[in-house]
Amino acid sequence: MESGYVTTPFGRRPMSLGMLASQQLAETIEPGMKRSKWKLFRAICEARPALGVTDRALTVLDALLTFYPDDEISEEKGLIVFPSNAQLSLRARGMTPATLRRHLAVLVEAGLILRKDSPNGKRYARRDRAGAIGEAFGFSVAPLLARAVEIESLAAQAVADRELLRVTRERLTLCRRDISKLIAAALEEGVSGDWEGISAMFRALLARIPRVATAEDLALHLDEMGLLRAEIVNMLERRIKTKKIDANESQIEHHKQNSNPDSIYELEPSFETKQGEKAAADNDPNAGPSDERRLKQQKPSGGMSNRAEGAADPGAGPGLKSFPLGLVLQACPSILDYGPGGSIGNWRDLMSAAVVVRSMLGVSPSAYEEACSGMGPENAATVIACILERGGHINSPGGYLRDLTRRTERGEFAIGPMLMALVRANGLTARHAS
């Protein structure tokens, strides 16, 4: 295409700034640039939504490219094709002239081809005495060559997005299957737990999945279902671990004595929740502060382990799985301010922040140590972050933490629903703020 040359359409077809921009872009082809026309066409098909063209318009482009004499598009071999409407219609699967004109206009508006109309609107080429084409009028495929890198990039992104959607959908399907079968196994084995509530939560998550969803939408639902699956697995693993402990204790004829059974147990005030929040301690009327003091100061008997005496059970905490750090920070963003340098990049940072927050909330060191022993250090730090996030609803963080530790040891407390509730609450807050 001649540099600085502007061509306008024939007849009543108007000129537009988009056409002028496409002509200027066609002049930016790098010297020696070549592309296989069919590879480039496949890339256009992949990037079709981003380019804003229809599948019928691509049928017309396919037909146009069949008139290009070589497999590679290059400036040296010319960039103009000049088929008649009759020939173009035949190669476009018998498309009617009116439909053909409409989709040619779509290709022009999308910046994939240019019109180079002759004075009378006909498409033809002038040849010299040797038969070489001197000047041609018709459709220029120069924009394809000028935008080749952009088109290939859009195609690669479209392929990656489609693959991500496929993988995310597969993982969501597997997660749904896992949850369904794990719940069925728990009910079959008679595992204690609120399986009706968990099943209702599972059905609610399923109902929220849209029929047509993007990879981002599916990823959000996958995170929530992954939390539910992890919590179910934790509950089942606790049941397996309890069975193993019971079997081991029946075979062991001696037990370890507490090195300091008369140590003073540091009590927290009983926790209360503010109006609208149900106290978790109400579910266990037999476990008051006096009972707790008595259990902690009681000398071990033959059937009691160190865990019952308040000492750390080496297998208690590490047996519970922790949740992804990113999810914890998404649910509890307030903890970020207490990390080293005002940020949290790993679990060590979160546990350091939890120690600071523990002191700030008035949670005693012994309560936090018991939580670390019963839940594991990561989960204990996660619970501290949740307590901080829900600080306006909890009167006694120390008593609340002790109660959650006891419930965890009995297999009655799950961190997953607490995290999911905070994730949803933060999401609603962000949406209202925006």
Side-chain angles (χ1 to χ4, degrees):
M1 193 170 182
E2 297 178 17
S3 179
Y5 180 78
V6 175
T7 177
T8 56
F10 171 78
R12 296 181 179 180
R13 288 192 294 267
M15 182 66 177
S16 68
L17 292 178
M19 293 180 186
L20 183 59
S22 296
Q23 292 180 28
Q24 291 176 342
L25 179 63
E27 296 175 3
T28 63
I29 299 174
E30 297 180 3
M33 188 172 187
K34 297 179 181 180
R35 282 295 187 278
S36 166
K37 62 181 182 181
W38 298 123
K39 288 183 179 180
L40 192 55
F41 178 73
R42 283 193 291 273
I44 293 171
C45 292
E46 294 283 2
R48 180 178 66 82
L51 294 172
V53 293
T54 63
D55 53 350
R56 299 295 300 278
L58 291 183
T59 300
V60 176
L61 180 60
D62 182 20
L64 275 175
L65 290 176
T66 62
F67 290 97
Y68 193 82
D70 296 279
D71 287 336
E72 284 190 335
I73 301 176
S74 64
E75 284 190 291
E76 292 79 7
K77 298 172 183 176
L79 297 172
I80 306 293
V81 291
F82 41 89
S84 65
N85 279 345
Q87 292 174 318
L88 191 55
S89 177
L90 286 175
R91 298 197 188 183
R93 281 74 170 170
M95 192 176 289
T96 62
T99 305
L100 192 64
R101 287 193 294 271
R102 186 168 66 253
H103 291 300
L104 283 170
V106 170
L107 292 173
V108 172
E109 289 174 6
L112 296 179
I113 61 172
L114 290 175
R115 290 183 182 273
K116 186 179 180 184
D117 290 343
S118 65
N120 61 1
K122 301 294 182 180
R123 300 177 202 130
Y124 58 88
R126 291 198 181 98
R127 300 179 183 272
D128 57 21
R129 292 174 180 253
I133 296 177
E135 187 175 14
F137 297 96
F139 297 102
S140 171
V141 295
L144 297 182
L145 203 56
R147 300 179 64 186
V149 175
E150 174 197 353
I151 291 170
E152 291 163 352
S153 176
L154 290 173
Q157 185 61 49
V159 171
D161 291 344
R162 186 171 64 247
E163 180 65 14
L164 177 61
L165 180 62
R166 182 189 67 79
V167 171
T168 306
R169 186 178 287 116
E170 286 181 353
R171 292 163 114 188
L172 185 60
T173 300
L174 291 174
C175 191
R176 290 171 58 178
R177 185 183 72 190
D178 292 346
I179 293 174
S180 178
K181 290 186 179 292
L182 288 171
I183 291 176
L187 294 174
E188 181 71 19
E189 297 287 339
V191 179
S192 61
D194 184 16
W195 297 109
E196 287 296 328
I198 291 175
S199 298
M201 185 184 300
F202 179 46
R203 289 192 296 271
L205 289 176
L206 291 178
R208 289 169 47 202
I209 300 176
R211 290 188 176 182
V212 180
T214 63
E216 290 77 11
D217 294 334
L218 293 181
L220 292 176
H221 293 290
L222 179 60
D223 286 342
E224 292 185 347
M225 283 204 178
L227 268 177
L228 184 59
R229 178 176 60 183
E231 197 56 50
I232 293 172
V233 170
N234 273 343
M235 294 173 70
L236 296 179
E237 287 181 348
R238 282 197 293 267
R239 173 62 179 270
I240 295 172
K241 182 179 176 183
T242 302
K243 285 186 175 181
K244 289 182 178 179
I245 291 175
D246 293 343
N248 290 338
E249 287 182 348
S250 65
Q251 298 175 7
I252 295 176
E253 298 179 358
H254 62 279
H255 65 277
K256 296 180 180 179
Q257 297 290 337
N258 192 336
S259 60
N260 188 12
D262 298 323
S263 61
I264 296 177
Y265 180 77
E266 186 176 348
L267 287 174
E268 306 288 343
S270 61
F271 75 92
E272 296 177 358
T273 55
K274 293 189 178 179
Q275 187 174 5
E277 296 283 332
K278 184 178 180 181
D282 293 341
N283 296 330
D284 188 8
N286 299 321
S290 59
D291 295 330
E292 190 174 27
R293 183 194 302 271
R294 190 162 55 252
L295 283 173
K296 294 300 178 178
Q297 293 180 348
Q298 183 179 3
K299 297 240 178 162
S301 60
M304 296 183 64
S305 65
N306 283 359
R307 189 172 180 176
E309 297 173 71
D313 181 359
L320 303 180
K321 293 182 180 178
S322 59
F323 292 92
L325 179 62
L327 184 62
V328 175
L329 298 181
Q330 182 184 357
C332 310
S334 300
I335 196 73
L336 290 168
D337 296 334
Y338 300 92
S343 64
I344 294 176
N346 50 50
W347 279 107
R348 185 185 299 274
D349 293 345
L350 179 64
M351 288 186 281
S352 298
V355 172
V356 176
V357 171
R358 172 202 67 73
S359 176
M360 182 189 72
L361 295 176
V363 177
S364 67
S366 63
Y368 187 60
E369 287 173 6
E370 286 187 4
C372 290
S373 299
M375 304 178 184
E378 294 86 355
N379 285 328
T382 299
V383 170
I384 287 291
C386 292
I387 293 175
L388 174 66
E389 199 67 28
R390 300 177 58 217
H393 303 287
I394 300 173
N395 286 335
S396 176
Y400 186 55
L401 181 62
R402 286 194 188 278
D403 182 76
L404 294 184
T405 303
R406 290 197 304 268
R407 293 172 60 192
T408 300
E409 293 173 347
R410 296 195 300 263
E412 298 174 357
F413 171 64
I415 300 177
M418 180 187 291
L419 281 176
M420 291 172 65
L422 290 174
V423 168
R424 291 196 192 97
N426 290 334
L428 288 174
T429 303
R431 282 196 289 273
H432 289 320
S434 59

